[in-house]
Amino acid sequence: IFAQIDCDEFGCEPYVLDEANVALWHNPCLHPGDVRVVKAVDHPMLRDFINVVVFPCGIGIRRNLAQECSGGDLDGDAYYLLWDQDI
């Protein structure tokens, strides 16, 4: 995934979760198995996207990650991210 977080309310610049292990889930999370741990990556062409999750797609993607998270369908659904070096 790609995620860039805006932390303006704390007085800092937006930052990209790069090479971070991220726990990702959809609201509502109906089952503990719906939580996914994925690797966040930086992609310079996506830097205009802030406070959104960009999911991978295309050739070589085995399953739709959004569907694996409680059947999310990407029509404005809320997703939660938790990143911690201990994940």
Side-chain angles (χ1 to χ4, degrees):
I1 66 165
F2 172 85
Q4 182 174 204
I5 310 301
D6 178 18
C7 60
D8 188 44
E9 67 185 77
F10 300 109
C12 61
E13 294 293 318
Y15 61 95
V16 175
L17 299 177
D18 187 21
E19 295 297 317
N21 288 325
V22 177
L24 169 78
W25 66 93
H26 174 265
N27 183 27
C29 186
L30 304 174
H31 186 273
D34 292 334
V35 176
R36 297 288 181 247
V37 177
V38 297
K39 180 72 75 177
V41 297
D42 184 13
H43 196 293
M45 292 180 67
L46 299 174
R47 289 280 178 100
D48 289 334
F49 296 103
I50 299 175
N51 292 337
V52 298
V53 177
V54 180
F55 290 98
C57 64
I59 298 172
I61 302 300
R62 61 180 177 85
R63 293 192 63 194
N64 181 336
L65 183 59
Q67 282 291 326
E68 290 182 358
C69 298
S70 298
D73 53 12
L74 303 178
D75 63 353
D77 297 344
Y79 286 84
Y80 294 93
L81 301 176
L82 173 70
W83 61 97
D84 188 308
Q85 64 186 6
D86 293 332
I87 294 179

